[in-house]
Amino acid sequence: MFEDMDHSGDGGIHGQLLQNNGFQGDNPGLTAYKSIGNVTIAQDMDKPVSDAIHSSLQVSVVSGATGSVGFANTGYDGVPVMKTTYFCEFWMLGDYAGSITLQLVGSSSGKVFASHNLTVTSHSANFTHHQTSFDSSASSNADNEWRLLFDSALVSNGSLNFGLVQLFPPTYMNRSNGLRDDVATFVDQIKPSFLRFPGGNNLEGLEIDSRWQWNLTIGPVVDRPGRESDWFYPNTDALGLDEYLWWCEDMNMEPVLAVWDGKSYGGILNGTDLQPYVDDIMNELEYLLGPTNSTYGSLRAQNGRTAPWSVNYIEIGNEDDLTGGCDTYPQRFTQIYDSIHGSYPNLTLIASTITNSCLPSDPPSGVIYDYHYYREPDALVEMFNLWDNQPRDKPVMVGEYGCRNTTATDGTFWTSVLCSCSEAVHMIGLERNSDVVQMAAYAPLLQHFGYTQWSPTMFGFDSSPDSLTPGTSYYVQELFSTNRGSTILPVDTTADFGPLYWVASKNDTAYIVKLANYGAHEQTVHINVPNTTTGVLQRFMGSEYATNQPTKIKVKPHSKSVSSSGGNFTVHLEAWGVAVLSVSTTSAAAALRASGGVVVVAWLCVFVQLF
Ligand code: AHR
């Protein structure tokens, strides 16, 4: 689940590294800008870069100045300076013909990691666009800035204006306006299968007018106004609707797109007042799915995507059981459902709540119900059986869940081995019910450590090198996600759940047994997977409160090959340990062949014995 919070988008997974480049949000001021040399700088609202980007940076040369002058942008708590090639673009207004120097420089050290000249011709009549690439050496820390310098002697009218400065390191899949390659690769490693976006709260808007508006997040970035987000900082919306969908496509994820359903924190629209916004959802769907000869389908093609996007899941709102949404959701849900379903009957629609009293009394079949929970470890384990008695005709998406080791809503803390083990127990419960719990998403996904608002997240980083830090929960997600069965198998055991929990499954290549030991004592588990010989055992372990803190990765999973005698495997599970045993089905087939048996594996039953 992704939304821009903790600067997970701007300054996070989105590749653009300079902050406040479009002076977006309610009160941007000169955040992240510094003057360099004998100049003064100011936000200039009289010189907008475009209809969307309302301000530019005015750089005024102080009389008598000589040599190179300009400005710096300090990024999001520094600029990550790596040994790589950067792409840079900016807009410029004012009479100037000569050299511009772009640099990456240590803010305190003054050390120059990159310095690149380009020759530009700029006029005072209108903004001109400039772009270039340059190589850099690496900085050992985050204390860096990007600089743009010009020759003060060539500025005849005393000032120049610069707008929408952008700096990108290599992007994931080399997409323009893409994701940071290093950060996106970290997400890709856990093999996610769907992405729920753009929120979360950040869909809703602190006010109706500041809701996430799909049509303001598409097309050239210079035409995107951005917004003051629900997480109290500006969003540039450079990570917009199409960028989310490229992200999904590049990682082979199913998009789960939430549409605005009338609820904001500052007011709720209902009935005829809501209808224009329902019409807008239909425009959004035409943009995503319509042919290129439709109004919005042609706009999509103009924005670089000819084929319709593969979108199959639409969520109607976010958490409509909360923040005053419940009373009107039955009517709002039905109004939006009828409109979407009438035109797109093949789309699966998701209600943003599972609470009956907030839903229509007789909801249509085929709807999935979204439920969110953040709990302390014991409480999450107590929810192991939550879905055992869920009516099988009422499918569920757990659109957000995670362990928090406190009831406090604020503050920074780190997910621990105990917390992640409780998530594993809970996920075993989800997997055992995966006929009805069709999707589950840990949340929130990531944070920039310099801007933490909510933690834990699955991983985080800052602007220093090698700062990508997986939380302990990242590894549990990775273990479960990269070992997926397609069929749940029966487990034959006399043991009861607790403190050990398990689930067995199979796919085309493996039998998989997932185990979690939510207890303070080691457990030895004997597992018999008939007629198998070899497999891989992955174990996650650490002391109860061990955490991975920024750049200090103490807890990691371990993996080893295992072999069995007669299909008997032994797994030692540490206190608060999680393990995944993956046994090759080809070894099962070979063992059966060797014994002259008939290869029938579908009935295979896993025996678990605890000692
Ligand atoms: O994931 C953090 C927040 O938690 C989401 O924005 C919201 O949906 C939930 O309350």
Side-chain angles (χ1 to χ4, degrees):
M1 183 268 175
F2 179 86
E3 65 180 322
D4 203 327
M5 63 185 297
D6 298 316
H7 271 290
S8 57
D10 288 325
I13 197 167
H14 186 252
Q16 204 290 111
L17 300 174
L18 305 180
Q19 190 177 184
N20 196 20
N21 64 349
F23 293 96
Q24 286 137 325
D26 287 348
N27 190 19
L30 285 175
T31 301
Y33 288 105
K34 283 165 56 172
S35 59
I36 304 285
N38 222 350
V39 294
T40 57
I41 58 172
Q43 179 188 353
D44 188 345
M45 286 178 262
D46 293 332
K47 298 210 170 67
V49 181
S50 66
D51 288 347
I53 304 296
H54 296 148
S55 299
S56 55
L57 185 76
Q58 184 184 58
V59 185
S60 304
V61 178
V62 174
S63 148
T66 54
S68 260
V69 294
F71 66 98
N73 187 294
T74 53
Y76 293 91
D77 225 8
V79 174
V81 172
M82 302 170 270
K83 182 173 166 27
T84 193
T85 303
Y86 287 82
F87 172 75
C88 186
E89 58 184 308
F90 57 91
W91 297 74
M92 186 173 174
L93 179 78
D95 292 323
Y96 187 85
S99 188
I100 294 271
T101 304
L102 303 177
Q103 293 186 327
L104 291 171
V105 179
S107 297
S108 305
S109 68
K111 189 169 174 190
V112 177
F113 300 101
S115 189
H116 174 74
N117 293 333
L118 71 158
T119 304
V120 303
T121 304
S122 162
H123 306 285
S124 51
N126 47 356
F127 273 96
T128 48
H129 177 247
H130 307 272
Q131 64 180 52
T132 189
S133 294
F134 60 86
D135 292 334
S136 178
S137 58
S139 165
S140 60
N141 58 44
D143 182 23
N144 310 302
E145 62 197 38
W146 169 89
R147 290 182 180 175
L148 186 153
L149 305 171
F150 54 86
D151 184 350
S152 57
L154 299 180
V155 182
S156 49
N157 290 332
S159 69
L160 295 171
N161 279 60
F162 296 89
L164 204 63
V165 293
Q166 296 179 68
L167 177 71
F168 284 87
T171 59
Y172 184 67
M173 299 282 202
N174 293 318
R175 296 256 171 244
S176 77
N177 186 35
L179 308 178
R180 261 179 73 166
D181 189 43
D182 50 352
V183 179
T185 300
F186 215 68
V187 176
D188 196 15
Q189 273 164 9
I190 58 169
K191 296 289 163 236
S193 54
F194 75 96
L195 184 75
R196 176 173 169 257
F197 67 91
N201 299 353
N202 207 25
L203 168 74
E204 298 179 46
L206 292 174
E207 301 293 338
I208 291 168
D209 286 347
S210 62
R211 70 194 184 281
W212 186 84
Q213 296 184 58
W214 71 274
N215 56 318
L216 301 183
T217 75
I218 57 172
V221 173
V222 72
D223 295 330
R224 303 183 195 182
R227 58 187 274 259
E228 187 68 21
S229 77
D230 288 51
W231 292 100
F232 310 107
Y233 61 83
N235 284 177
T236 67
D237 288 332
L239 176 55
L241 180 59
D242 286 306
E243 287 76 23
Y244 283 119
L245 292 162
W246 286 117
W247 176 5
C248 290
E249 196 162 277
D250 288 344
M251 284 190 199
N252 199 21
M253 292 187 290
E254 193 74 55
V256 176
L257 171 67
V259 293
W260 195 73
D261 71 350
K263 175 164 82 86
S264 78
Y265 288 84
I268 295 178
L269 297 177
N270 199 10
T272 50
D273 290 343
L274 181 61
Q275 193 51 44
Y277 301 87
V278 180
D279 297 343
D280 189 49
I281 293 172
M282 300 312 288
N283 295 340
E284 182 177 3
L285 294 179
E286 185 178 285
Y287 181 83
L288 298 169
L289 304 170
T292 51
N293 61 4
S294 62
T295 307
Y296 290 99
S298 84
L299 186 57
R300 180 192 68 237
Q302 197 181 308
N303 290 339
R305 173 68 184 205
T306 310
W309 288 110
S310 175
V311 175
N312 298 302
Y313 295 86
I314 301 290
E315 179 160 16
I316 299 174
N318 176 60
E319 296 185 343
D320 276 277
D321 48 331
L322 303 177
T323 53
C326 185
D327 290 352
T328 51
Y329 193 63
Q331 191 274 329
R332 288 183 290 117
F333 173 83
T334 304
Q335 192 174 349
I336 295 169
Y337 176 94
D338 287 349
S339 194
I340 298 179
H341 187 70
S343 297
Y344 301 95
N346 294 329
L347 287 179
T348 299
L349 299 179
I350 301 171
S352 74
T353 173
I354 199 169
T355 306
N356 283 333
S357 58
C358 306
L359 287 163
S361 51
D362 188 16
S365 63
V367 170
I368 297 179
Y369 298 86
D370 185 3
Y371 187 38
H372 300 171
Y373 37 86
Y374 300 98
R375 297 284 190 277
E376 290 182 77
D378 286 356
L380 203 54
V381 169
E382 276 165 28
M383 292 167 78
F384 171 71
N385 289 329
L386 178 68
W387 303 109
D388 287 3
N389 298 310
Q390 173 68 11
R392 268 30 204 172
D393 61 353
K394 197 171 180 190
V396 175
M397 172 174 85
V398 179
E400 298 177 24
Y401 73 92
C403 170
R404 309 191 80 195
N405 61 8
T406 170
T407 50
T409 49
D410 296 326
T412 302
F413 49 92
W414 309 100
T415 187
S416 62
V417 167
L418 174 72
C419 246
S420 302
C421 180
S422 77
E423 286 161 0
V425 171
H426 189 68
M427 288 155 74
I428 287 171
L430 298 177
E431 195 164 312
R432 280 165 40 80
N433 285 287
S434 52
D435 58 320
V436 70
V437 182
Q438 299 191 350
M439 301 166 147
Y442 181 93
L445 182 59
L446 70 145
Q447 65 182 295
H448 185 304
F449 290 132
Y451 298 92
T452 301
Q453 300 173 296
W454 174 302
S455 59
T457 53
M458 204 192 296
F459 72 96
F461 56 94
D462 57 26
S463 297
S464 57
D466 303 321
S467 63
L468 273 163
T469 306
T472 50
S473 297
Y474 175 95
Y475 289 126
V476 167
Q477 292 292 322
E478 185 183 35
L479 280 181
F480 276 57
S481 179
T482 56
N483 291 286
R484 293 187 197 214
S486 50
T487 306
I488 302 299
L489 295 175
V491 176
D492 189 357
T493 179
T494 53
D496 292 327
F497 288 126
L500 196 80
Y501 297 82
W502 59 85
V503 63
S505 62
K506 75 176 179 79
N507 59 34
D508 289 344
T509 57
Y511 300 108
I512 301 159
V513 184
K514 293 177 177 142
L515 300 152
N517 176 20
Y518 191 72
H521 304 288
E522 185 178 310
Q523 301 281 342
T524 300
V525 187
H526 295 282
I527 300 171
N528 179 263
V529 189
N531 298 308
T532 61
T533 53
T534 57
V536 174
L537 178 65
Q538 293 166 278
R539 290 188 307 157
F540 162 89
M541 68 203 92
S543 60
E544 189 173 352
Y545 298 111
T547 59
N548 286 343
Q549 297 212 2
T551 72
K552 296 185 192 72
I553 303 170
K554 286 189 189 157
V555 185
K556 275 184 178 174
H558 301 263
S559 177
K560 66 174 181 183
S561 298
V562 287
S563 54
S564 80
S565 115
N568 292 316
F569 297 87
T570 301
V571 177
H572 297 290
L573 266 169
E574 288 70 12
W576 319 110
V578 178
V580 178
L581 174 68
S582 174
V583 180
S584 147
T585 53
T586 50
S587 82
L592 276 168
R593 263 197 305 276
S595 67
V598 181
V599 182
V600 180
V601 291
W603 50 267
L604 196 126
C605 179
V606 176
F607 300 88
V608 175
Q609 206 176 0
L610 311 183
F611 289 89

